[in-house]
Amino acid sequence: MKRLPQISEAEFEVMKIVWKHAPISTNEITEKLLQTTSWSPKTIQTLIKRLVTKGALTYEKQSRVFVYTPLVKENEYIGQESSSFLNRFYNGDITAMLSAFLENNRLSETEIERLRSLLTSKSPKGDL
């Protein structure tokens, strides 16, 4: 699996907008983030530039407007981060992670049912 760029929490907020709305202009990204953050437009532009430098975004200049598209797929990035979290905190043991979440009441009944359903559908015999 290819190594994806390290993305900060703030950069991840920008990426979520781009993943959802690409291709998207600088002004559109800024407009959407101003609705959910207290960041200045200059801060948002800096985050976008960092993502371009890191190879997470690419852009095309259309007249006087920069339009961005992701170079990193959302599911690949989420998968990498999930694996990193699992390895860092649970030595790659997903059972230990789920046990910790269950013991600390971090999962709702709905989430437990969804997991049960997923496990049953993925089970070789469907007999969980």
Side-chain angles (χ1 to χ4, degrees):
M1 184 166 93
K2 69 177 180 177
R3 192 76 186 140
L4 302 175
Q6 288 292 108
I7 297 173
S8 72
E9 294 271 335
E11 292 164 346
F12 184 66
E13 292 302 313
V14 175
M15 288 301 296
K16 288 193 298 190
I17 299 293
V18 177
W19 281 321
K20 186 173 184 179
H21 302 285
I24 185 169
S25 71
T26 307
N27 289 342
E28 291 169 320
I29 295 170
T30 302
E31 181 182 301
K32 291 182 183 311
L33 286 169
L34 288 175
Q35 294 173 13
T36 59
T37 69
S38 58
W39 301 337
S40 73
K42 198 77 174 152
T43 298
I44 295 167
Q45 289 176 4
T46 299
L47 292 169
I48 293 168
K49 286 178 190 171
R50 284 185 193 163
L51 288 164
V52 169
T53 301
K54 289 180 177 187
L57 291 180
T58 188
Y59 66 89
E60 184 178 296
K61 192 170 183 184
Q62 297 177 356
S63 65
R64 295 182 352 182
V65 177
F66 289 91
V67 177
Y68 295 89
T69 55
L71 290 172
V72 172
K73 291 182 181 169
E74 183 176 17
N75 62 342
E76 287 177 351
Y77 184 75
I78 300 294
Q80 174 183 286
E81 289 302 299
S82 298
S83 294
S84 176
F85 174 84
L86 186 61
N87 288 328
R88 181 173 177 199
F89 295 103
Y90 298 98
N91 291 328
D93 185 350
I94 195 162
T95 304
M97 182 188 77
L98 286 172
S99 294
F101 273 73
L102 287 167
E103 289 169 14
N104 294 302
N105 296 318
R106 298 284 186 156
L107 296 175
S108 69
E109 285 300 320
T110 303
E111 291 167 325
I112 292 169
E113 282 305 314
R114 284 178 39 207
L115 284 170
R116 186 175 284 124
S117 176
L118 278 170
L119 291 169
T120 301
S121 72
K122 299 294 182 190
S123 172
K125 298 177 190 171
D127 60 357
L128 286 178

